[in-house]
Amino acid sequence: MYQLRGKLSIVMPAYNEEALIYNSIMQTLSIVEQFAPDMEIIAVNDGSKDKTKQEIERAIRDDAKQPHPVVPGMRVSGTRIKLVTSNKNRGKGNAIISGISQAEGDYIAFVDADLELNPAQLEGYLKKMQESGSDVVIGCKFHKDSELHYPFVRKVISLGYYMMLLVLFHLNVRDTQTGLKVFKAEAVKPVAHLVRTSGFAYDIELLVAVHRRGFKIEQMPVKVVYVRDKNTRRIGMYDIVKAFRDTWAIFYRVYFKHYYDEPSE
């Protein structure tokens, strides 16, 4: 079985996920420790109005009681879970960036709190990263080997957005929105604080920033297992307009302010 050399940090943003977050954290620990025994989860409570924070704290207490895998050089503590919390809902982008700031791993992954994208897929992503020499591996719904239902209208919108990103940023990434991603810490840590977008375009801004620093991005298939009603997943016209507006703001920061470029000495 593949085993990662180095520490893996998993950032799991959550907003009003009291029904899922405890099991999601515990399942992720159980799955990922098989191939990344030196790991941590940074659970980010993004201003939830329910008991999400209390459920994360319950996971922390329960994990502290469990025996953990130990590998040479591993830093052992009472729990492998960190809680980052906000009293105000600031959006998924800000939650992700807050989690990155607390991550101690050599590799930093993003996993959605509903686990519709099984974290077991990270094993293949990490292997791909090491085999290809890439710095970032992201899930792509449009990969030929992906397994999911994706509405035709969403496919058309995503294709148009892909062409826009290719023209504006030379970013050859077909799907920026899938929640499963893994970065080398050296690629994402120096640019995470530069992200200014908290809406749907935060993924684009982060990937553009990494790309501008010369890091290599690879795409991998995803398998989605729906735990919510997929028919309720709607992106409204407001979301689309805001994403395009945010994208043009990123364009301005790239080419007029050179905001994401490596600082000159």
Side-chain angles (χ1 to χ4, degrees), residues 8-190:
L8 174 65
S9 297
I10 297 177
V11 178
M12 186 181 289
Y15 176 65
N16 290 345
E17 295 283 8
E18 69 174 1
L20 297 174
I21 191 64
Y22 175 86
N23 286 333
S24 293
I25 290 172
M26 303 308 284
Q27 286 180 36
T28 300
L29 289 171
S30 177
I31 291 167
V32 175
E33 70 181 13
Q34 303 301 315
F35 57 86
D38 192 0
M39 64 166 297
E40 65 177 0
I41 293 179
I42 298 98
V44 185
N45 171 43
D46 186 26
S48 299
K49 297 177 173 63
D50 61 4
K51 295 182 179 179
T52 295
K53 180 183 176 184
Q54 291 90 327
E55 287 296 288
I56 295 171
E57 291 171 336
R58 180 162 73 96
I60 291 171
R61 291 192 300 270
D62 287 354
D63 183 58
K65 301 173 186 175
Q66 303 297 322
H68 303 157
V70 178
V71 296
M74 179 175 170
R75 298 179 293 275
V76 180
S77 62
T79 181
R80 298 168 290 179
I81 307 164
K82 293 179 182 175
L83 168 64
V84 177
T85 192
S86 170
N87 293 325
K88 180 180 179 182
N89 178 240
R90 300 181 184 276
K92 186 176 179 180
N94 279 318
I96 289 284
I97 302 311
S98 297
I100 292 173
S101 71
Q102 298 299 312
E104 297 180 358
D106 306 291
Y107 304 89
I108 301 174
F110 306 161
V111 173
D112 287 339
D114 54 23
L115 293 198
E116 290 188 342
L117 295 160
N118 193 308
Q121 297 175 84
L122 288 174
E123 180 178 2
Y125 287 28
L126 289 161
K127 289 172 66 176
K128 176 73 171 179
M129 178 176 283
Q130 295 190 343
E131 292 169 358
S132 67
S134 55
D135 305 289
V136 183
V137 179
I138 65 175
C140 177
K141 299 185 188 75
F142 303 108
H143 193 284
K144 62 182 178 61
D145 296 324
S146 288
E147 299 179 32
L148 74 160
H149 167 78
Y150 208 55
F152 177 74
V153 173
R154 291 283 296 275
K155 289 181 180 178
V156 172
I157 293 171
S158 296
L159 178 61
Y161 202 39
Y162 161 64
M163 296 301 298
M164 182 179 179
L165 297 180
L166 190 61
V167 171
L168 293 182
F169 307 115
H170 310 291
L171 187 63
N172 190 15
V173 174
R174 294 188 64 197
D175 180 14
T176 61
Q177 301 303 305
T178 298
L180 200 64
K181 298 179 173 68
V182 61
F183 297 75
K184 289 181 179 176
E186 64 200 53
V188 70
K189 280 269 192 178

